[in-house]
Amino acid sequence: MDSWIDAIISVMLVANVAPILPTVLGVVEPVPRSKRRRILLLALLVGNVSALAFLLAGGPFLAAVGSGIDDLRVAGGLILLVFAMYDLLFSREQRKEPLGEIIEAESPASGSEVGLVPLGIPMMVGPATLTAILVVSEVYGTGVAIIALLANGLVNAGILFLGGPLMDRIGHGVIRTVGKVFGLLLAALAISMIRTGVTNMWLAVSRGMDS
């Protein structure tokens, strides 16, 4: 049970949609209200299906090119650390604001494409999320990683569908504050991944030298 909780928390730190909720709602604002829920659902499905596909195919690919879990920990940790630092300095909303501006310049008829890009990828599922889900799979197992991905998807669905009333009640400031807290926790997770990966690599080299 503890491994499930740890895995879900790790995925939610990276893939939770709450910190970018204002931007997500801004992207679909030009679309007729009757179509917004369908577009948000499509974006959520596209993002999670992409993450699931990467989860199932990413491990064999790494094995084929001769990389291991510790290589992924260090590389993924560095990506997550940069991602978290950028979040802390600029916030996810500011970083992804240009994507919303691009969509606003397009016709509302392009709503289905909006659900694919940029809402599904990279706003809801980007490189940091793909890295995190693969690391969770290697550490806790594929089954636990899938459960964590599904749990995060359900939470995100609730946030998206209740997003409008939620924003009206708590305001943009609280959402941004939540984003900063998530960014700090994500930075700590990234440092832990890097430390574990480097330590394991050093131990493997030490054993090789001793033998």
mmCIF file of all heavy atoms in Angstrom, residues 2 9-10 12 18 27 41 45 48 53 62 66 79-80 82 92 96 100 119 131 142 154 186 189 198 207:
data_model
loop_
_atom_site.group_PDB
_atom_site.id
_atom_site.type_symbol
_atom_site.label_atom_id
_atom_site.label_comp_id
_atom_site.label_asym_id
_atom_site.label_seq_id
_atom_site.Cartn_x
_atom_site.Cartn_y
_atom_site.Cartn_z
ATOM 1 N N ASP A 2 1.975 1.243 0.785
ATOM 2 C CA ASP A 2 2.851 2.406 0.840
ATOM 3 C C ASP A 2 3.455 2.699 -0.524
ATOM 4 O O ASP A 2 3.624 3.865 -0.905
ATOM 5 C CB ASP A 2 3.967 2.188 1.866
ATOM 6 C CG ASP A 2 3.438 2.225 3.294
ATOM 7 O OD1 ASP A 2 2.315 2.738 3.496
ATOM 8 O OD2 ASP A 2 4.136 1.741 4.202
ATOM 9 N N ILE A 9 1.778 9.820 -5.427
ATOM 10 C CA ILE A 9 2.264 11.149 -5.063
ATOM 11 C C ILE A 9 3.333 11.611 -6.048
ATOM 12 O O ILE A 9 3.342 12.773 -6.482
ATOM 13 C CB ILE A 9 2.808 11.147 -3.622
ATOM 14 C CG1 ILE A 9 1.656 10.967 -2.627
ATOM 15 C CG2 ILE A 9 3.554 12.452 -3.333
ATOM 16 C CD1 ILE A 9 2.105 10.836 -1.192
ATOM 17 N N SER A 10 4.249 10.714 -6.421
ATOM 18 C CA SER A 10 5.317 11.077 -7.357
ATOM 19 C C SER A 10 4.752 11.529 -8.698
ATOM 20 O O SER A 10 5.219 12.510 -9.281
ATOM 21 C CB SER A 10 6.261 9.884 -7.569
ATOM 22 O OG SER A 10 6.893 9.510 -6.360
ATOM 23 N N MET A 12 1.621 12.642 -9.251
ATOM 24 C CA MET A 12 0.814 13.848 -9.091
ATOM 25 C C MET A 12 1.672 15.097 -8.941
ATOM 26 O O MET A 12 1.252 16.189 -9.351
ATOM 27 C CB MET A 12 -0.105 13.702 -7.876
ATOM 28 C CG MET A 12 -1.311 12.824 -8.129
ATOM 29 S SD MET A 12 -2.485 12.856 -6.763
ATOM 30 C CE MET A 12 -3.807 11.847 -7.445
ATOM 31 N N ALA A 18 -3.792 21.083 -11.561
ATOM 32 C CA ALA A 18 -4.249 22.237 -10.778
ATOM 33 C C ALA A 18 -3.395 23.486 -10.990
ATOM 34 O O ALA A 18 -3.950 24.584 -11.171
ATOM 35 C CB ALA A 18 -4.303 21.861 -9.294
ATOM 36 N N VAL A 27 -7.297 28.393 -22.653
ATOM 37 C CA VAL A 27 -7.140 27.814 -23.992
ATOM 38 C C VAL A 27 -8.483 27.457 -24.608
ATOM 39 O O VAL A 27 -8.714 27.661 -25.806
ATOM 40 C CB VAL A 27 -6.215 26.579 -23.929
ATOM 41 C CG1 VAL A 27 -6.255 25.799 -25.235
ATOM 42 C CG2 VAL A 27 -4.784 27.001 -23.628
ATOM 43 N N LEU A 41 -12.041 16.479 -22.037
ATOM 44 C CA LEU A 41 -11.986 15.030 -21.905
ATOM 45 C C LEU A 41 -11.048 14.428 -22.951
ATOM 46 O O LEU A 41 -10.258 13.529 -22.649
ATOM 47 C CB LEU A 41 -13.388 14.435 -22.054
ATOM 48 C CG LEU A 41 -13.483 12.904 -21.982
ATOM 49 C CD1 LEU A 41 -12.957 12.398 -20.639
ATOM 50 C CD2 LEU A 41 -14.922 12.447 -22.199
ATOM 51 N N LEU A 45 -7.664 12.255 -22.237
ATOM 52 C CA LEU A 45 -7.462 10.921 -22.793
ATOM 53 C C LEU A 45 -6.183 10.853 -23.619
ATOM 54 O O LEU A 45 -5.404 9.898 -23.507
ATOM 55 C CB LEU A 45 -8.665 10.536 -23.660
ATOM 56 C CG LEU A 45 -9.956 10.181 -22.912
ATOM 57 C CD1 LEU A 45 -11.094 9.961 -23.897
ATOM 58 C CD2 LEU A 45 -9.762 8.952 -22.035
ATOM 59 N N ASN A 48 -3.081 10.858 -21.245
ATOM 60 C CA ASN A 48 -2.895 9.625 -20.483
ATOM 61 C C ASN A 48 -2.582 8.429 -21.369
ATOM 62 O O ASN A 48 -1.781 7.572 -20.991
ATOM 63 C CB ASN A 48 -4.133 9.355 -19.628
ATOM 64 C CG ASN A 48 -4.171 10.187 -18.371
ATOM 65 O OD1 ASN A 48 -3.583 9.839 -17.353
ATOM 66 N ND2 ASN A 48 -4.851 11.315 -18.429
ATOM 67 N N ALA A 53 1.407 4.558 -23.294
ATOM 68 C CA ALA A 53 2.197 3.976 -24.378
ATOM 69 C C ALA A 53 3.685 4.101 -24.093
ATOM 70 O O ALA A 53 4.465 3.157 -24.308
ATOM 71 C CB ALA A 53 1.849 4.666 -25.699
ATOM 72 N N LEU A 62 14.906 1.538 -23.630
ATOM 73 C CA LEU A 62 16.102 1.819 -22.854
ATOM 74 C C LEU A 62 17.026 0.603 -22.803
ATOM 75 O O LEU A 62 18.250 0.727 -22.923
ATOM 76 C CB LEU A 62 15.730 2.246 -21.430
ATOM 77 C CG LEU A 62 15.160 3.652 -21.257
ATOM 78 C CD1 LEU A 62 14.747 3.868 -19.811
ATOM 79 C CD2 LEU A 62 16.182 4.700 -21.672
ATOM 80 N N GLY A 66 20.997 0.081 -24.213
ATOM 81 C CA GLY A 66 22.001 -0.158 -23.184
ATOM 82 C C GLY A 66 21.939 0.757 -21.979
ATOM 83 O O GLY A 66 22.931 0.898 -21.259
ATOM 84 N N ILE A 79 16.042 16.749 -15.651
ATOM 85 C CA ILE A 79 14.911 17.363 -16.356
ATOM 86 C C ILE A 79 13.890 17.900 -15.361
ATOM 87 O O ILE A 79 13.409 19.038 -15.475
ATOM 88 C CB ILE A 79 14.251 16.348 -17.307
ATOM 89 C CG1 ILE A 79 15.203 15.996 -18.454
ATOM 90 C CG2 ILE A 79 12.932 16.897 -17.863
ATOM 91 C CD1 ILE A 79 14.685 14.893 -19.352
ATOM 92 N N LEU A 80 13.561 17.086 -14.367
ATOM 93 C CA LEU A 80 12.574 17.508 -13.374
ATOM 94 C C LEU A 80 13.070 18.698 -12.560
ATOM 95 O O LEU A 80 12.281 19.577 -12.188
ATOM 96 C CB LEU A 80 12.243 16.341 -12.447
ATOM 97 C CG LEU A 80 11.498 15.164 -13.068
ATOM 98 C CD1 LEU A 80 11.262 14.086 -12.021
ATOM 99 C CD2 LEU A 80 10.181 15.601 -13.674
ATOM 100 N N VAL A 82 15.174 21.119 -13.561
ATOM 101 C CA VAL A 82 15.026 22.318 -14.392
ATOM 102 C C VAL A 82 13.557 22.721 -14.482
ATOM 103 O O VAL A 82 13.206 23.903 -14.368
ATOM 104 C CB VAL A 82 15.616 22.063 -15.795
ATOM 105 C CG1 VAL A 82 15.302 23.236 -16.727
ATOM 106 C CG2 VAL A 82 17.115 21.837 -15.708
ATOM 107 N N ARG A 92 4.033 27.567 -13.862
ATOM 108 C CA ARG A 92 3.597 26.820 -15.043
ATOM 109 C C ARG A 92 2.649 27.648 -15.897
ATOM 110 O O ARG A 92 2.648 27.567 -17.117
ATOM 111 C CB ARG A 92 2.894 25.520 -14.630
ATOM 112 C CG ARG A 92 3.803 24.585 -13.878
ATOM 113 C CD ARG A 92 3.102 23.288 -13.548
ATOM 114 N NE ARG A 92 3.847 22.556 -12.536
ATOM 115 C CZ ARG A 92 3.519 21.372 -12.084
ATOM 116 N NH1 ARG A 92 2.445 20.775 -12.539
ATOM 117 N NH2 ARG A 92 4.245 20.768 -11.174
ATOM 118 N N LYS A 96 3.444 28.422 -19.922
ATOM 119 C CA LYS A 96 2.615 27.863 -20.980
ATOM 120 C C LYS A 96 1.605 28.863 -21.524
ATOM 121 O O LYS A 96 0.791 28.519 -22.357
ATOM 122 C CB LYS A 96 1.900 26.604 -20.464
ATOM 123 C CG LYS A 96 2.914 25.510 -20.151
ATOM 124 C CD LYS A 96 2.295 24.285 -19.531
ATOM 125 C CE LYS A 96 3.356 23.219 -19.274
ATOM 126 N NZ LYS A 96 2.830 22.023 -18.630
ATOM 127 N N GLY A 100 -1.536 29.221 -25.011
ATOM 128 C CA GLY A 100 -2.910 29.692 -25.000
ATOM 129 C C GLY A 100 -3.121 30.830 -25.986
ATOM 130 O O GLY A 100 -4.152 30.915 -26.646
ATOM 131 N N LEU A 119 -3.247 21.014 -25.435
ATOM 132 C CA LEU A 119 -3.813 20.615 -24.151
ATOM 133 C C LEU A 119 -3.349 19.223 -23.719
ATOM 134 O O LEU A 119 -2.847 19.040 -22.609
ATOM 135 C CB LEU A 119 -5.343 20.654 -24.209
ATOM 136 C CG LEU A 119 -5.997 22.030 -24.049
ATOM 137 C CD1 LEU A 119 -7.505 21.890 -24.099
ATOM 138 C CD2 LEU A 119 -5.573 22.682 -22.757
ATOM 139 N N THR A 131 9.011 11.055 -18.116
ATOM 140 C CA THR A 131 10.171 10.579 -17.365
ATOM 141 C C THR A 131 9.763 10.035 -16.005
ATOM 142 O O THR A 131 10.197 8.959 -15.587
ATOM 143 C CB THR A 131 11.194 11.711 -17.185
ATOM 144 O OG1 THR A 131 11.608 12.179 -18.470
ATOM 145 C CG2 THR A 131 12.407 11.228 -16.402
ATOM 146 N N THR A 142 5.315 -2.000 -13.144
ATOM 147 C CA THR A 142 4.429 -1.447 -14.169
ATOM 148 C C THR A 142 2.993 -1.333 -13.681
ATOM 149 O O THR A 142 2.304 -0.342 -13.951
ATOM 150 C CB THR A 142 4.480 -2.316 -15.436
ATOM 151 O OG1 THR A 142 5.828 -2.397 -15.912
ATOM 152 C CG2 THR A 142 3.605 -1.729 -16.530
ATOM 153 N N LEU A 154 -7.910 10.502 -12.902
ATOM 154 C CA LEU A 154 -9.215 10.732 -12.277
ATOM 155 C C LEU A 154 -9.235 12.046 -11.502
ATOM 156 O O LEU A 154 -10.219 12.796 -11.555
ATOM 157 C CB LEU A 154 -9.561 9.568 -11.345
ATOM 158 C CG LEU A 154 -9.864 8.228 -12.030
ATOM 159 C CD1 LEU A 154 -10.052 7.140 -10.991
ATOM 160 C CD2 LEU A 154 -11.110 8.343 -12.910
ATOM 161 N N LEU A 186 8.525 19.079 -6.136
ATOM 162 C CA LEU A 186 9.079 18.448 -7.328
ATOM 163 C C LEU A 186 10.595 18.595 -7.369
ATOM 164 O O LEU A 186 11.308 17.669 -7.769
ATOM 165 C CB LEU A 186 8.457 19.072 -8.582
ATOM 166 C CG LEU A 186 8.880 18.477 -9.921
ATOM 167 C CD1 LEU A 186 8.552 16.991 -9.983
ATOM 168 C CD2 LEU A 186 8.195 19.216 -11.063
ATOM 169 N N LEU A 189 12.019 16.025 -5.083
ATOM 170 C CA LEU A 189 11.945 14.710 -5.726
ATOM 171 C C LEU A 189 13.051 14.554 -6.759
ATOM 172 O O LEU A 189 13.683 13.494 -6.864
ATOM 173 C CB LEU A 189 10.574 14.528 -6.383
ATOM 174 C CG LEU A 189 10.370 13.253 -7.206
ATOM 175 C CD1 LEU A 189 10.457 12.018 -6.316
ATOM 176 C CD2 LEU A 189 9.020 13.292 -7.926
ATOM 177 N N VAL A 198 23.199 8.595 -8.927
ATOM 178 C CA VAL A 198 24.656 8.764 -8.846
ATOM 179 C C VAL A 198 25.246 7.811 -7.820
ATOM 180 O O VAL A 198 26.303 7.197 -8.052
ATOM 181 C CB VAL A 198 25.001 10.229 -8.499
ATOM 182 C CG1 VAL A 198 26.488 10.366 -8.194
ATOM 183 C CG2 VAL A 198 24.606 11.151 -9.653
ATOM 184 N N ARG A 207 32.272 -1.726 -7.072
ATOM 185 C CA ARG A 207 32.268 -3.195 -7.071
ATOM 186 C C ARG A 207 33.093 -3.729 -8.242
ATOM 187 O O ARG A 207 33.798 -4.735 -8.104
ATOM 188 C CB ARG A 207 30.820 -3.706 -7.164
ATOM 189 C CG ARG A 207 29.967 -3.402 -5.942
ATOM 190 C CD ARG A 207 28.657 -4.171 -6.004
ATOM 191 N NE ARG A 207 27.676 -3.637 -5.065
ATOM 192 C CZ ARG A 207 26.681 -2.836 -5.394
ATOM 193 N NH1 ARG A 207 26.529 -2.463 -6.654
ATOM 194 N NH2 ARG A 207 25.843 -2.387 -4.479
#
